[in-house]
Amino acid sequence: MARFRHLLTAFALILLLGPGSARAEAFLSAYEDLPLAPGLTELAGSGVSFDSPSGRIVEAYAHGAAKAADILKFYAATLPQLGWAREGDRLYRREAEVLRLETTQDRAGVTLRFTISPE
């Protein structure tokens, strides 16, 4: 039920953000209610998701030409609306899960690593 509620919130968020606003174009395949920041594309086959006795573990990667600062700003504005409590620029908590965002810059752009694990 909580997943469904978060999914509905995500869709409402997309509909409410106007065309002039930064908005998510897609969601991670490995975690259905985690949006991709504008300018990012999920790296095919990079996502893993499995349940452990202590909770779900998810890892996924996205890449794009966006700036790391813009990506982090997008998640700082978006994730709290999806129930994630911000604990730092790259750390969020929701229910019994922790989300970490790690960026790596190279000549081709930014790679963003999403890691979700139980508390």
Side-chain angles (χ1 to χ4, degrees):
M1 185 65 173
R3 284 189 195 174
F4 182 70
R5 178 174 38 97
H6 294 301
L7 187 58
L8 284 178
T9 303
F11 285 126
L13 176 65
I14 289 171
L15 293 174
L16 290 175
L17 291 175
S21 302
R23 59 188 179 103
E25 299 294 328
F27 290 82
L28 284 176
S29 60
Y31 197 87
E32 64 280 348
D33 68 341
L34 192 59
L36 283 172
L40 293 182
T41 303
E42 185 173 5
L43 295 176
S46 71
V48 294
S49 176
F50 61 92
D51 291 320
S52 72
S54 57
R56 183 166 38 174
I57 297 173
V58 177
E59 183 174 287
Y61 292 84
H63 185 79
K67 295 179 183 175
D70 292 339
I71 292 167
L72 295 175
K73 184 187 286 187
F74 170 83
Y75 287 110
T78 305
L79 291 175
Q81 296 177 44
L82 298 173
W84 292 95
R86 184 173 184 231
E87 294 193 1
D89 287 346
R90 300 166 187 268
L91 181 67
Y92 296 83
R93 291 185 192 278
R94 181 172 75 183
E95 298 172 11
E97 294 181 317
V98 177
L99 166 63
R100 289 178 179 79
L101 304 173
E102 299 173 38
T103 56
T104 306
Q105 181 79 46
D106 61 21
R107 291 183 190 172
V110 172
T111 299
L112 176 61
R113 176 183 179 205
F114 301 88
T115 307
I116 299 172
S117 60
E119 279 192 273

